[in-house]
Amino acid sequence: MAMMHHVFGPHFLGAPLFPGVPNLVLFILLGLGVWYFLKRDKQTESQAPHSKDSSISETQDLRDEINQLKKENDLLRELLKRDLEKK
């Protein structure tokens, strides 16, 4: 029993970082905090939409936007060409 007190006593891994709080308690709290945040990150990843339907609709939306931008680019080139011919 005396050996357990010596190993896990208030001076576990050196002097206490905060007076009156053993380092073992601080390490346990630190471990619980890391576990909580890792668990929370996994939950938010699983809630993110990964369905195939949404990716297909996003791809179609991007293709539609690209086609619209190509049309606008062609019109702007034509207007620029006309403007340069006038001058």
Side-chain angles (χ1 to χ4, degrees):
M1 191 64 144
M3 186 64 178
M4 291 286 285
H5 174 75
H6 180 71
V7 173
F8 296 111
H11 299 291
F12 178 65
L13 295 177
L17 297 173
F18 299 105
V21 181
N23 286 345
L24 180 63
V25 173
L26 293 175
F27 285 122
I28 290 172
L29 290 175
L30 179 67
L32 287 173
V34 168
W35 172 78
Y36 171 77
F37 284 109
L38 289 176
K39 181 180 171 188
R40 191 181 78 178
D41 286 345
K42 287 181 182 178
Q43 287 177 350
T44 55
E45 285 177 5
S46 66
Q47 293 174 355
H50 291 293
S51 67
K52 223 171 191 180
D53 295 334
S54 66
S55 65
I56 290 173
S57 66
E58 287 177 12
T59 304
Q60 186 60 37
D61 290 343
L62 289 173
R63 286 182 182 162
D64 292 341
E65 188 173 347
I66 289 171
N67 289 332
Q68 181 66 28
L69 289 172
K70 284 180 181 179
K71 289 177 185 177
E72 289 176 7
N73 190 19
D74 290 339
L75 289 173
L76 287 172
R77 284 179 189 239
E78 186 177 326
L79 288 173
L80 182 61
K81 185 177 177 182
R82 286 183 190 173
D83 190 37
L84 289 175
E85 288 176 354
K86 286 182 182 179
K87 290 184 178 182

